[in-house]
Amino acid sequence: MSQDPEIQYYHHGRFRVAGGVLPDAITAYQTFGDPKNPVIVFPTCYGGKLDGKSPKALLMALRQGYMVGEGKVRPCGFIALDPRKYYVVTFALFSNGESSSPSNTPPPYNGPYFPTVSYEDNIRAQHAVLTQKLGIKKVFCVIGFSMGAQQAYYWPVMYPDFVERYIPICGSARTSPHNECFLEGPKAALSASKDFQNGHYTSTPQHGIRAFGRAYSSWAYSQAWFAKKGYLFDGKYTSLNDFIREEWEAGYLNGWDANDLLTLLKTWQMGDVSLIRDGGYFANCLGAIKARGLIMPCKKDLYFTPEDCQNEMKYLSNAKLVIIDSEWGHMAGGGSNAEDDEFYYNHGRFKVAGGVLPDAVTAYRTYGDPSNEKVIVFPTCYGAKLALGSQDYLVGEGKVLDPNKYFVVTFALFCNGESSSPSNTPAPYGGAYFPFISYEDNIRAQHAVLTKHLGVRKLFCVVGFSMGGQQAYHWPVVFPDFVERFVAICSSARTSPHNECFLEGPKAALQASKDFADGHYQSTPQHGLRAFGRAYCAWAYGQTWFRESKYLMNGEFPDLNSFIRERWEAGYIKYWDANDMIALVNTWQKGDISIIRDGGDYEKALRSIKAKGLIMPSKTDLYFPPEDSETEVSHLRDAKLHVIPSIWGHVAGGSGNPVDVAFISEKIKEFLQGP
């Protein structure tokens, strides 16, 4: 089996396709790494080519090399498509000009006579290469962007026992009517051009291909991206027209055949997994998928919208949804923007409190100008994920952590499912075998990202809510000369005995459930996760909040049970892994700044903090009560206490109540602007 990264070609012989037959069908592919390793399949998208040596892809981002290579870490469930760890097989779609296409097929099926090819045809051909040529018996994961994502959906439907995982990035299981309609625009621009000649052109139909690129280009990015003049690419282009001409017209002119463009587009328009075996019954088809899925749409994708993916999640029984928070629209998933695909830092071998992580990863996001010396760190809390926009309530233009004023870095805690966690760490430390992680471990990892990767020399402030607040307390203890200020919202410097005890309730409910299987579950332990949510939810709000029926959320829910089921049970089932939740609770329960360097002397640890502090508990918080904060402030050298006057309990420190967010923002603003 070849490991040569050069493009290889598999001859299928006579091969039936949706629109007829190909007398000598060819599939182009590449292999990277050792065939003994777990197999990852990474097929091309629209505009994508395997060939990275010549300018044949629409954009550099649409060559498969943007995710494949030694040491690369990308947003794909922390699977680095690293040939040292995985056997990566990349496939070229039929009609992309590398596999059988109108442009390279001899008569009688050349040019406009090339038959219609479906996604199903492509997957059957790829399966033949894997099994008949490469001897593959199982695929660890299929990952794809755009049309590649649609192929990722097809794989577990067509070969349910062959594929373990799939990751569609900016794609969908079925091409929506709106998506199909948008494609009619560039298709018509090319087909109607004066030099296309119904596909019988004898030289490149430049008018048609240029029109195709112009009709397509505005769909690929969001309106906000255009409003911020993203098309100038930091001075690469001088105008919008230059961008369209060089990036879109030239991209297709330099490496694409017009008939290839149209036949590939037809494959895209026909996409629908439910036509394979469920007679168009979409819900049944998705519900039958056994493989584990990670669904990653972009928040501002104009044609593979996040709403489509959210609808698909209703039927998928074993999948997680992670939304890419980007203004780059559809192109966010294709490697065009480094901020969208390079927000994971690989530490290598990393010692933690409970042992070691052989290849630790920290997930993070950055906002604003890295040259701004006022750097603010805002780490996640329990239940928060960067990709779900959990930090957005304080970060953004016009908000208190404004990227126009500060360079803001948000970090995901270990065990939250984004940084290294039980759910995304391979054996031998995956799942129930994941080592214990302390707050100190998290702070050391975050410090490494800031200093080694981002070049930060000093932190202006660390802001955190709940577990994020505990991290804010740990920062000036672990790195006393690195942090100037810290803000702890609804939190404490040490997890109190009562707090630790309360956490035993939801933790026990999950671990004792009939489907948790001591952490060795094979599918989502729904009973356990539902029990966890129910055991937790009463602690999150104040008693008055319940007394005033705030759980009805102004009519969103008809009763208390609906609120618990949709907000708490569904939240954990959709977005969280059970082992991740337990591991993160363990970090929380062991929180204590005094064990870092003061031998358990809590008051001494507090007095040693040199950074200025802003401590904001909620008046009605049941597990980080204001009394604990009052005690801490009495021992801190330079800290202010502002109690949030809210009935929202612990949740007052988060994004739930706009009035509380306004109060918190105002106090933080005053603190940051103070001496």
Side-chain angles (χ1 to χ4, degrees), residues 180-216:
E180 184 178 356
C181 183
F182 124 66
L183 291 170
E184 286 296 315
K187 177 181 173 181
L190 174 51
S191 301
S193 68
K194 57 188 176 183
D195 49 0
F196 181 67
Q197 298 176 3
N198 295 321
H200 297 283
Y201 47 86
T202 55
S203 61
T204 301
Q206 289 214 17
H207 292 284
I209 289 180
R210 289 177 184 273
F212 182 96
R214 286 183 174 265
Y216 194 134

Side-chain angles (χ1 to χ4, degrees), residues 34 45 49 56 68 82 104 163 231 248-249 314 324 342 360 366 483 516 529 546 591 607 623 652:
D34 186 346
C45 62
K49 301 270 189 182
K56 289 186 177 180
V68 182
D82 189 332
N104 61 27
V163 180
Y231 53 83
W248 287 85
E249 292 184 15
K314 295 176 184 177
I324 304 169
E342 294 183 348
T366 64
V483 182
F516 182 68
L529 292 175
F546 282 96
R607 288 195 300 270
Y623 48 94

